[in-house]
Every structure is written in C-alpha cells, then in structure tokens.
Amino acid sequence: MSSEENFKKGAAEAIVGFLNANVAKSGLSNIDKELKKDFVLAKKRSKDQKRRASKKKVRCLTRAEKKELGFYAIPRKGVQYKEVLPLNKIWLQYISEVLELDNSIPDPTSKAWENFTQTLYRADFHGSFLKVTRSKCPSLVDKSGICIMDTRNTFKIVSENNITSTIPKRDCVFQMDLNKCKITLFGKLLCVRPAERSTKKIKGHIHPDL
Amino acid sequence: MKKIQGNDSFQRINYLYQISKEIADKNPVLSAYYGNLFINVAKKNVAKIHPDIKRQICKKCRCILIHKVTANMSIKKKNKSKMVEYLCNTCGSKKNFPAKKDKDYRTWLEKPESVVEVVS
C-alpha cells in the first residue's frame, strides 16, 4: 500500500514539475489553481443508463428452448382425428370466402383464372382435407387426412385412424376436396415456407411434371 | 365487395387466429405454431394486427391465452394500481395489463373515431 502511495505522490510531483518547466510564463501562476479544480459531474453517472441495464427484455423462444418444450415433436399418435375435425369445418368456410366459391368457378382459359390460382396459392392449407393421388413413393399413394402442419418441404396430416404422418411435397400430387369441386395441387410448386408464400409471386402457367 | 390491398393476408391471419383458438384446449403446441405463423405472415406482408388479437397471444411462445385453459389470470397490486396478469401455462411467462378504475387505456385503433369506413 505504502509503495503505491509513494508512487502516486511521485507521479503527481513529476506532473507538477513537468508543467512548471513547460507551461508558458503567463500561465505559471495559474497551475496550482487549475489542478485543484473540481469537476462537479465527473463522478456522477446518469440515472438512465443504470435503469436500462436492469430492465429485462421479453424475447421469443429460441429454437433450442422450443425443442425442449416439445414444439417440433408431434408424436405419431398424439393428435386425434376428432380434435382436428373442427379445423376442417372452419377451413371450408374460409376457403369458400377467399375463392368466392358462391360465384361460378372461372374457366381455365379466361382472364379470371390467373387471379383464381393466385389466391389459391396464397391461401392457407392448415385444416384442409388432402389426399395423395400420385407419388414417386408408392406407399404414400392414397393416404388422406387433415393437414395440421405445413413446412417448407412437408405436410403433416392426421388420417382418420388417428395416425400423424409426414408427407414430402416435392414428389407428390395432392387432391383437395371442397364441397363443390376438387382441386389438384402439384406439391412441387408449393415448396415455399408458409409465411412467405403469401408474398411470393408465381407464374400463371408452369408445366407440371413428376 | 371492394378490393383492399393485402386482403387475402388479412383473411389468412383471421383464419389462423380462429384455428389457433379452436385447438388451444386440446393441443397448445399446435396453437402456438399457428400463432407464430400468423405473426410471421403479418410481418412478411407488413400488415398490422389489431391490438385486441395481439393481447390474446403469449409474448414468448405465441400460444393463445385463455383463462383456465392455457393461462391463469389474476389481479395483482403494483404501486397502488391494479394489474391484470396472465400466466402462460406452456412457457411460464407473464403478461401484464394495467387496470385502473378511472383511466381509459384504449389505444387509438380501438376508439370509435378511428374507423373511417367499414367494408364488407
């Protein structure tokens, strides 16, 4: 401790000596005064900074935390068909409102057709009744059920015998059952994240091939 | 019906909110998934969600908050003013709303003078 104090004193004396040697003659008398000056606000910190640091921010769950809570693992027999049936009911209302099914469905050659496909592409498929009509993988053909999850490359569907299965979109052709009509969807064109699909533009005619 | 910009995304948000509420009591995980999705759709389309809907979803896991189903509501005192507190059962986070007797907490969107035109 004492050695440190000695060092500090020495340093202070050195500074004073340096100033005495180097400051212009007109300023020499002011040195003592200037060194004893007190800066009033030097040791005070603003209150705002302290407060901001102590505030906790509510963040969204990270992926790891979500996984811990079981957000990604939907068990094979975890969802009952009865539970998702109301979704299908609401979905039918929704899709008929969006596509305006009360009016007649436009002709594929007419101008309104492009608008129709665009809105269908932007609509939501959660809760729709999907049936696989064609697929590269033969075991997936004829699987049907209500879609509960829609990711970039897969659909998760709950079939009538309460089994949840994952179906890759790319190699399948789906059929959707509306009350009036049936719609065939090429899964290859739906390989977009569900949230991004509503802003993305598609071409009117793409030649589908499996 | 008059055409509005971004109408299909609003319809989609509305639908997702409905199914999120429908499935909340059976499968909160799926409810959170739909809640997360409609917020993402709104973000992508730069559309605003009505505060009434926004208040009903958990800030953290985005599950719908329904009293005694997915959340527990209680009234608490904090600095002499009362607060309505929602405790989410899925992730355990809290959501507070101030509730003073003689104060108007409505936002601008909820006031009747903010409505210019109703399109059906």
Side-chain angles (χ1 to χ4, degrees):
Chain A
M1 216 36 210
S2 62
S3 67
E4 210 171 88
E5 264 173 24
N6 274 340
F7 175 74
K8 270 187 181 172
K9 256 185 187 174
E13 274 166 18
I15 288 171
V16 173
F18 174 80
L19 285 174
N20 275 328
N22 287 303
V23 172
K25 272 179 189 172
S26 57
L28 271 178
S29 54
N30 282 339
I31 286 177
D32 261 356
K33 224 207 258 168
E34 290 284 325
L35 282 176
K36 278 176 187 170
K37 223 177 200 179
D38 222 18
F39 292 101
V40 183
L41 295 174
K43 281 179 184 174
K44 276 193 178 177
R45 275 188 192 167
S46 64
K47 278 179 183 175
D48 277 356
Q49 273 181 338
K50 267 188 183 174
R51 247 178 225 170
R52 251 175 232 164
S54 66
K55 229 180 192 179
K56 257 188 187 176
K57 215 179 178 186
V58 177
R59 253 190 314 125
C60 287
L61 290 172
T62 60
R63 217 202 120 94
E65 282 168 329
K66 271 189 187 177
K67 203 176 177 188
E68 213 168 81
L69 286 168
F71 273 50
Y72 295 104
I74 290 176
R76 191 170 148 80
K77 288 184 179 172
V79 187
Q80 302 288 312
Y81 186 73
K82 261 189 232 161
E83 290 173 3
V84 286
L85 213 57
L87 294 197
N88 191 241
K89 233 182 220 172
I90 305 172
W91 185 78
L92 282 173
Q93 274 176 27
Y94 158 76
I95 205 78
S96 62
E97 197 181 318
V98 168
L99 295 177
E100 291 165 358
L101 287 180
D102 300 334
N103 310 338
S104 60
I105 293 155
D107 208 52
T109 48
S110 67
K111 252 189 182 177
W113 179 253
E114 202 167 300
N115 213 346
F116 183 78
T117 48
Q118 193 81 251
T119 44
L120 178 66
Y121 181 74
R122 284 178 179 174
D124 206 280
F125 295 123
H126 295 102
S128 59
F129 191 87
L130 292 173
K131 192 183 174 191
V132 182
T133 49
R134 283 199 285 164
S135 172
K136 267 187 185 173
C137 174
S139 64
L140 292 179
V141 177
D142 270 353
K143 276 202 172 182
S144 60
I146 290 172
C147 167
I148 53 163
M149 217 182 224
D150 181 1
T151 61
R152 189 172 163 186
N153 284 321
T154 59
F155 276 127
K156 269 209 169 91
I157 63 170
V158 180
S159 59
E160 274 169 74
N161 47 8
N162 301 331
I163 288 174
T164 313
S165 50
T166 314
I167 293 172
K169 283 177 190 173
R170 188 160 294 163
D171 305 324
C172 291
V173 177
F174 300 95
Q175 200 176 56
M176 227 159 44
D177 233 348
L178 308 183
N179 281 337
K180 265 190 199 170
C181 57
K182 282 175 182 174
I183 293 175
T184 310
L185 297 168
F186 287 86
K188 202 182 174 187
L189 310 177
L190 294 174
C191 287
V192 194
R193 277 190 198 162
E196 281 167 25
R197 207 173 50 216
S198 51
T199 50
K200 226 170 191 180
K201 278 187 180 174
I202 50 154
K203 290 166 198 167
H205 288 282
I206 308 166
H207 293 293
D209 50 359
L210 258 182
Chain B
M1 186 179 154
K2 211 176 151 189
K3 280 207 169 171
I4 317 155
Q5 204 206 341
N7 190 27
D8 44 358
S9 69
F10 281 127
Q11 268 169 326
R12 196 173 172 193
I13 290 167
N14 182 18
Y15 166 68
L16 284 168
Y17 164 67
Q18 280 178 40
I19 57 171
S20 179
K21 208 168 187 180
E22 179 72 43
I23 210 162
D25 56 332
K26 298 152 199 160
N27 200 337
V29 166
L30 273 181
S31 167
Y33 169 75
Y34 296 135
N36 191 21
L37 187 65
F38 82 66
I39 285 181
N40 282 342
V41 168
K43 266 187 191 168
K44 264 276 168 252
N45 288 292
V46 205
K48 276 183 182 163
I49 302 172
H50 195 272
D52 259 356
I53 296 177
K54 230 174 179 175
R55 277 177 208 142
Q56 284 175 35
I57 51 173
C58 172
K59 260 183 175 178
K60 210 167 184 184
C61 66
R62 288 166 180 184
C63 180
I64 289 269
L65 299 170
I66 305 169
H67 179 49
K68 283 186 179 171
V69 180
T70 57
N72 281 320
M73 188 187 69
S74 57
I75 295 173
K76 289 200 171 170
K77 261 192 175 177
K78 201 176 179 185
N79 295 342
K80 287 181 186 173
S81 64
K82 281 182 179 173
M83 297 278 238
V84 178
E85 189 182 84
Y86 279 94
L87 184 72
C88 177
N89 284 348
T90 23
C91 67
S93 64
K94 290 171 191 169
K95 202 169 189 185
N96 284 317
F97 299 106
K100 241 181 187 175
K101 227 179 192 178
D102 45 343
K103 228 177 176 184
D104 188 14
Y105 286 111
R106 286 180 300 170
T107 56
W108 163 249
L109 273 177
E110 288 167 293
K111 283 175 186 167
E113 61 257 38
S114 71
V115 178
V116 176
E117 190 184 0
V118 178
V119 185
S120 63

